[in-house]
Amino acid sequence: MRMITFLLVGLIVHVVFFLSIFDIYFTSPLVHGMTPHATPQAPPSSRLVLVVADGLRADSFFTLLPNGSSRAPYLRSVIEEKGTWGVSHTRVPTESRPGHVALIAGFYEDVSAVAKGWKENPVEFDSVFNETRHTWCWGSPDILPMFAKGASGDHVYTHTYPAEEEDFASTDASRLDTWVFTQVKSFFQSAKSNASLRANLLQDENVFFLHLLGIDTNGHAHRPMSQEYLDNIGLVDTGVAELVSMVEDFFGHDGRTAYVFTSDHGMTNWGSHGAGHPSETLTPLVAWGAGVHNARRATGPQPYSDGFLQDWKLEHLQRVDVNQADIAPLMASLIGVPFPLNSVGILPLLYLNNSEHFKAESMYTNAIQVLEQYKIKMTQKKETTMPFLFTPFELSLSLTVVITVFLLIQRSPVTYYVYCLLPVPLWYSVLKESGILTDLFRSAPSLPLWKCFGYFVLVSFGIELLVASFFHRAMLTVGLAVLSLWPFLSGLFGKAKFRSLSWCLGCLCLAAFPLMPVVGREPNVHLVTFAGVLSLFTSACYLWSSRPRTTMHLSDRQQFVSQVTTVCAYVPSLTHSSLQQKQGLPLLNQVISWSTLASSMIVPLLSSTRLFQRLLSIFLSLTATYLLLSTGSEALFPPVLAWLMFVWINIEQEAMLAQASHPLNLHGFPQTSCIGICSPIFYQNMHSGLSTIDFSANIDIAKLRQLKLDDIRRSYFFVFFIITAFFGTGNIASINSFDPASVYCFLTVFNPFLMGGLMMWKVVIPFIIVMCTFETIQVATQLSSRSLFLIVLVISDLMALHFFFLVQDYGSWLDIGTSISHYVIVMSMTIFLMLLSVVTHILTSQRLTLWRHKKHFP
């Protein structure tokens, strides 16, 4: 009962302090209650056509072909003759949702959206669409609904294709753009015979929005330098030319239509976006039509030193760069609607072709709209106060009353009461155990203080090393290099030379993975195949070497053979080849992949519960799934990690044998904490060998022996390997490091939640390998699981103090997501490991029997 209470209290405390970062760092900066303001002068345009080519890089659009022609000839002619152009500088995070919010609403990503993704509106916001009389939209179901959902009234009409059409394995993703242009043509054609629709179209303050996803999808699937990506630009250019002709014909060439062509973000050379590389933040902007300046010749040097004017052969034309949020007030000014209430954009006057009076009024309206937000924020600032996270280390009822009254006066949210009052019962619990603290201080003179101090220094250094590894993965390499020396420094080398050398070599091999790049890696299915062969070889070596020591039933051997065959299946290579040939995902490969995934947690339960036989079955099942989710060198990570874990199990046995056979253990402490406390099973396990241990034969070992100082080292090793398993092959917190090709064996249709779930399972697999290893070490050394989690709790909470003050609420989703994930990882580490320990205990100790043998083998 006390253990359950301990777990529940620990869970509640950690959940509360985890949630606190969202109250402190991720409250929405948006304010409400402002008065809308529009330019009082008559607008130059009655309608505006906004075309957003999702994922279009500026250099891909502006750069000429080797023969001097443009891959977008129509828009190039607009730039040369009748429009104003420039580079739109986007901000991180360079994703579809924040990019479109900046374009259409005029403000940059609301930090409270970090937990929502790009499909939902965490708070309501105003946009140009909301201020129009009518807005018609065509495009992706991932983008359009969020502007319709946030609109007041029912004047924003969306037309989307099915989400299943966003298929990365499609032979030609440009069909998404063809669908949009076809739908727009049908729309205007139907308006000719629909009187009410035609009447609405002829009104002023209308917007037509075309969201074109083909370029982005082709960029993800084939990379931005591919012919598919570049050809898609030409298709969009042709579609825009036909669109302009159709619109002008419909409205009788009345000269009252303005056009804006741009992109929400760019794309890296390896087909991702989200961070702040110039290839992601530089997008094209071309505006023309009613109210927009015609092309102007450059009369002198232009204030740009990036060399793009020369590279793009546009140095003879005036270039007007803007920040992405500036486009929203530009569109509002052109059609005469109120500026978006939350806009922080600055009206780019050089795009406007109107009177000086109109420009002055527009600038004034822009300033008044920003000032309205400032006034509301100042009013709110006077009414609110910052949260208090901690109360003093006093535990009096009077202080509790004072805090409560203070928070009531301040009208603080309910969560503030939790943050301020939670330390009171916690410190009360500490003071209740004051007798234990007194005994500790009284016994301090009898402890080997210099050894304790040495352990304290080493653990402190180790914790700082782990903290640094969250920012610089190469620190894991340093840590593994240091750990490789442990057998030599502890004296184990003289007693177990082969295992010590294996430990050293395993650490050094694993140390290579944190040095590999996270993003920008090209797929290499040959490495995936090699990883399968390596798993086959190591498994075969174990099966061959274990024959003299253990009795293995025929059914177990048949199961291992079938698992090995699955591990080395050629599915990733066949899938990659099929997609390259644009033949789609083969159905058989998809069935094999999902079947392997579904059986990965069931098949190990069919094997023997003998220690190494069960571990081998778990390794083969998990590795098979991991290989299907791999595209390159990361496929080698599970085999190398499993090898090191196998050595760790064996070398820990050597360490316990050495401690039990000497009056003083390897670290110079009297051997009093094990003698008389460890069970007979413990000595039997040590001397008869690990291969005889049966997971199912061991009972609860939480009280079999007390915590020893050397268990701190084991717990730290465990935490270190957990962190290595998490960050060893990349930074999962970054959307920018996610390669959709990793899930192509399972699905190719864009589904962020299913794809994210598969990637999270890929992340969890190394966790399970490490956790099963430590489960084995607990069984073999009779380590207290409760004591383990107390040590891990202390280590993780010390790390959490670092990351709490390092949480970022600005920058790219890479920066924000990474800082949050660091805090989440260490705060949830203990909780997650507690839950995972239950899973691994079942995975190692339970067995499903589908058939009975004449003679039973465990």
Side-chain angles (χ1 to χ4, degrees):
M1 188 64 187
R2 293 187 62 186
M3 185 64 178
I4 296 177
T5 304
F6 166 75
L7 294 176
L8 289 177
V9 171
L11 176 64
I12 293 172
V13 170
H14 283 79
V15 167
V16 166
F17 281 97
F18 161 65
L19 295 176
S20 70
I21 65 170
F22 294 99
D23 275 334
I24 298 169
Y25 292 101
F26 298 104
T27 54
S28 174
L30 301 184
V31 293
H32 302 281
M34 293 81 70
T35 303
H37 292 276
T39 304
Q41 299 293 308
S45 310
S46 296
R47 67 201 70 91
L48 181 138
V49 178
L50 172 63
V51 180
V52 177
D54 201 304
L56 177 59
R57 291 165 46 148
D59 58 345
S60 299
F61 174 77
F62 288 119
T63 302
L64 297 177
L65 298 172
N67 61 8
S69 63
S70 172
R71 58 176 54 95
Y74 173 75
L75 289 171
R76 183 77 177 198
S77 68
V78 170
I79 294 172
E80 297 273 1
E81 300 169 6
K82 56 181 179 181
T84 301
W85 74 281
V87 174
S88 172
H89 296 263
T90 69
R91 286 192 186 179
V92 289
T94 48
E95 300 289 345
S96 293
R97 172 198 151 85
H100 282 86
V101 168
L103 281 170
I104 300 168
F107 68 92
Y108 296 104
E109 180 65 4
D110 178 6
V111 294
S112 64
V114 71
K116 289 279 189 177
W118 61 90
K119 288 191 173 183
E120 294 292 336
N121 299 339
V123 292
E124 292 185 0
F125 60 86
D126 191 27
S127 70
V128 174
F129 294 174
N130 191 43
E131 299 293 347
T132 61
R133 193 181 305 276
H134 301 285
T135 295
W136 290 272
C137 311
W138 297 267
S140 168
D142 295 327
I143 298 299
L144 305 190
M146 71 177 175
F147 292 102
K149 180 179 178 180
S152 58
D154 56 355
H155 63 282
V156 178
Y157 313 100
T158 61
H159 307 272
T160 64
Y161 40 75
E164 292 76 19
E165 293 295 318
E166 300 176 12
D167 190 347
F168 294 123
S170 170
T171 56
D172 186 13
S174 63
R175 74 180 191 282
L176 300 176
D177 299 342
T178 301
W179 183 93
V180 171
F181 288 123
T182 301
Q183 291 294 314
V184 175
K185 290 178 183 177
S186 300
F187 172 80
F188 278 100
Q189 190 65 33
S190 65
K192 294 179 180 179
S193 58
N194 186 325
S196 61
L197 176 60
R198 180 178 176 83
N200 288 337
L201 290 175
L202 292 176
Q203 292 180 319
D204 58 1
E205 299 182 0
N206 286 342
V207 167
F208 305 93
F209 172 44
L210 283 70
H211 174 245
L212 308 176
L213 189 62
I215 293 176
D216 182 76
T217 305
N218 272 322
H220 285 305
H222 306 289
R223 310 296 186 258
M225 302 304 174
S226 66
Q227 199 60 44
E228 290 84 356
Y229 182 92
L230 300 177
D231 288 345
N232 205 151
I233 297 176
L235 182 147
V236 167
D237 180 76
T238 302
V240 171
E242 296 174 354
L243 170 71
V244 172
S245 176
M246 177 181 58
V247 170
E248 292 298 329
D249 288 343
F250 183 89
F251 291 105
H253 297 270
D254 62 355
R256 297 284 295 172
T257 306
Y259 301 89
V260 175
F261 176 86
T262 187
S263 175
D264 55 346
H265 57 74
M267 186 171 291
T268 62
N269 289 341
W270 52 90
S272 66
H273 52 81
H277 191 273
S279 62
E280 301 168 89
T281 60
L282 302 182
T283 59
L285 173 61
V286 183
W288 70 99
V292 181
H293 256 300
N294 292 328
R296 286 169 289 184
R297 298 285 172 177
T299 57
Q302 301 195 53
Y304 303 104
S305 58
D306 48 30
F308 292 147
L309 287 169
Q310 293 73 26
D311 295 342
W312 300 337
K313 304 296 188 292
L314 288 171
E315 60 268 30
H316 61 291
L317 295 174
Q318 186 173 355
R319 168 182 163 187
V320 183
D321 284 10
V322 300
N323 292 320
Q324 192 174 47
D326 299 343
I327 298 175
L330 171 64
M331 295 190 295
S333 178
L334 286 173
I335 57 177
V337 300
F339 286 33
L341 296 178
N342 300 114
S343 173
V344 296
I346 300 175
L347 181 66
L349 292 177
L350 292 178
Y351 277 83
L352 294 178
N353 183 19
N354 213 311
S355 65
E356 296 301 317
H357 185 204
F358 178 85
K359 293 180 181 179
E361 289 283 2
S362 298
M363 291 175 60
Y364 177 75
T365 303
N366 191 186
I368 288 296
Q369 176 267 325
V370 175
L371 181 61
E372 284 280 342
Q373 297 180 65
Y374 177 79
K375 290 179 178 178
I376 296 294
K377 288 184 178 181
M378 288 300 100
T379 302
Q380 292 180 349
K381 186 174 182 180
K382 293 177 181 179
E383 296 177 353
T384 60
T385 182
M386 292 296 292
F388 294 91
L389 286 183
F390 304 101
T391 58
F393 297 146
E394 294 84 4
L395 297 174
S396 64
L397 180 61
S398 59
L399 183 57
T400 302
V401 173
V402 169
I403 294 173
T404 304
V405 171
F406 176 77
L407 294 176
L408 284 171
I409 294 174
Q410 296 294 322
R411 292 183 293 178
S412 301
V414 175
T415 52
Y416 289 18
Y417 291 84
V418 178
Y419 305 147
C420 294
L421 297 177
L422 183 60
V424 175
L426 293 180
W427 277 106
Y428 174 74
S429 300
V430 171
L431 293 180
K432 281 181 62 178
E433 305 295 336
S434 58
I436 297 178
L437 298 176
T438 303
D439 293 340
L440 175 63
F441 286 115
R442 288 176 179 175
S443 61
S446 62
L447 296 175
L449 295 181
W450 69 274
K451 289 289 186 181
C452 294
F453 178 76
Y455 254 84
F456 173 78
V457 172
L458 287 175
V459 171
S460 299
F461 171 78
I463 290 175
E464 294 302 322
L465 182 70
L466 287 176
V467 170
S469 70
F470 278 65
F471 301 97
H472 308 284
R473 292 171 57 239
M475 296 306 296
L476 291 174
T477 300
V478 175
L480 286 166
V482 174
L483 291 187
S484 68
L485 303 176
W486 167 56
F488 306 96
L489 299 177
S490 63
L492 279 174
F493 178 72
K495 303 178 182 298
K497 289 185 174 59
F498 178 76
R499 291 177 178 177
S500 298
L501 290 175
S502 298
W503 167 269
C504 180
L505 184 60
C507 287
L508 294 179
C509 289
L510 195 66
F513 288 93
L515 299 178
M516 296 179 181
V518 176
V519 294
R521 298 177 295 194
E522 290 296 327
N524 190 336
V525 292
H526 300 298
L527 287 176
V528 180
T529 304
F530 176 72
V533 174
L534 180 62
S535 301
L536 168 63
F537 175 75
T538 54
S539 302
C541 288
Y542 167 74
L543 291 175
W544 179 79
S545 63
S546 64
R547 292 178 63 187
R549 300 193 307 270
T550 59
T551 303
M552 187 181 299
H553 197 273
L554 177 62
S555 61
D556 290 325
R557 294 186 181 275
Q558 292 174 341
Q559 178 189 334
F560 286 136
V561 170
S562 64
Q563 286 183 290
V564 166
T565 303
T566 303
V567 166
C568 296
Y570 213 47
V571 173
S573 180
L574 291 176
T575 300
H576 181 77
S577 176
S578 177
L579 295 180
Q580 275 195 328
Q581 298 172 16
K582 298 184 178 180
Q583 296 177 355
L585 173 60
L587 179 60
L588 178 61
N589 291 14
Q590 193 173 23
V591 170
I592 292 175
S593 300
W594 284 108
S595 300
T596 303
L597 173 65
S599 63
S600 61
M601 296 296 285
I602 304 298
V603 172
L605 299 179
L606 302 176
S607 66
S608 169
T609 53
R610 290 288 177 89
L611 189 146
F612 285 120
Q613 293 178 25
R614 176 55 65 92
L615 291 181
L616 178 62
S617 181
I618 294 171
F619 163 67
L620 291 175
S621 295
L622 296 179
T623 300
T625 304
Y626 197 94
L627 294 181
L628 293 172
L629 291 167
S630 299
T631 60
S633 58
E634 81 273 15
L636 295 168
F637 187 72
V640 175
L641 178 65
W643 170 30
L644 182 58
M645 295 297 98
F646 174 81
V647 177
W648 186 26
I649 294 171
N650 283 273
I651 205 167
E652 283 291 356
Q653 185 198 31
E654 295 291 343
M656 292 299 293
L657 286 171
Q659 289 177 356
S661 60
H662 289 82
L664 293 178
N665 63 22
L666 295 178
H667 301 282
F669 295 108
Q671 198 60 264
T672 59
S673 57
C674 183
I675 303 299
I677 297 176
C678 295
S679 68
I681 297 176
F682 172 66
Y683 291 106
Q684 178 184 349
N685 290 343
M686 286 199 301
H687 293 285
S688 61
L690 292 170
S691 59
T692 61
I693 296 179
D694 192 321
F695 281 114
S696 62
N698 287 274
I699 59 174
D700 184 13
I701 59 173
K703 299 181 180 179
L704 289 179
R705 70 172 173 89
Q706 296 175 351
L707 184 68
K708 299 191 300 180
L709 197 57
D710 203 41
D711 291 330
I712 298 177
R713 190 262 308 159
R714 293 189 180 92
S715 299
Y716 179 79
F717 278 15
F718 171 59
V719 174
F720 185 91
F721 287 131
I722 284 290
I723 299 298
T724 303
F726 202 79
F727 287 107
T729 58
N731 180 5
I732 61 94
S734 169
I735 294 178
N736 199 42
S737 66
F738 168 66
D739 187 355
S742 299
V743 298
Y744 282 174
C745 288
F746 294 87
L747 76 164
T748 55
V749 176
F750 180 67
N751 187 325
F753 299 104
L754 191 55
M755 289 178 168
L758 288 171
M759 292 307 299
M760 284 305 299
W761 179 241
K762 180 181 178 181
V763 171
V764 169
I765 286 175
F767 266 135
I768 297 178
I769 293 176
V770 176
M771 198 69 202
C772 287
T773 301
F774 206 75
E775 177 80 8
T776 305
I777 291 176
Q778 289 183 59
V779 172
T781 64
Q782 303 293 287
L783 179 65
S784 168
S785 58
R786 184 174 186 271
S787 299
L788 158 70
F789 286 114
L790 284 173
I791 298 174
V792 174
L793 175 66
V794 171
I795 294 174
S796 61
D797 283 353
L798 289 174
M799 295 170 63
L801 286 176
H802 290 75
F803 295 120
F804 176 84
F805 295 102
L806 295 174
V807 173
Q808 290 186 208
D809 57 357
Y810 57 89
S812 69
W813 277 9
L814 172 64
D815 300 328
I816 296 174
T818 299
S819 67
I820 294 177
S821 68
H822 291 171
Y823 184 69
V824 171
I825 289 168
V826 293
M827 285 297 291
S828 61
M829 181 182 296
T830 305
I831 301 169
F832 176 71
L833 293 180
M834 287 178 182
L835 298 176
L836 195 60
S837 66
V838 176
V839 175
T840 54
H841 180 72
I842 296 174
L843 199 59
T844 55
S845 62
Q846 301 300 313
R847 185 175 189 182
L848 296 178
T849 304
L850 302 183
W851 53 81
R852 294 185 178 275
H853 312 298
K854 293 181 179 180
K855 185 177 180 181
H856 176 71
F857 291 92

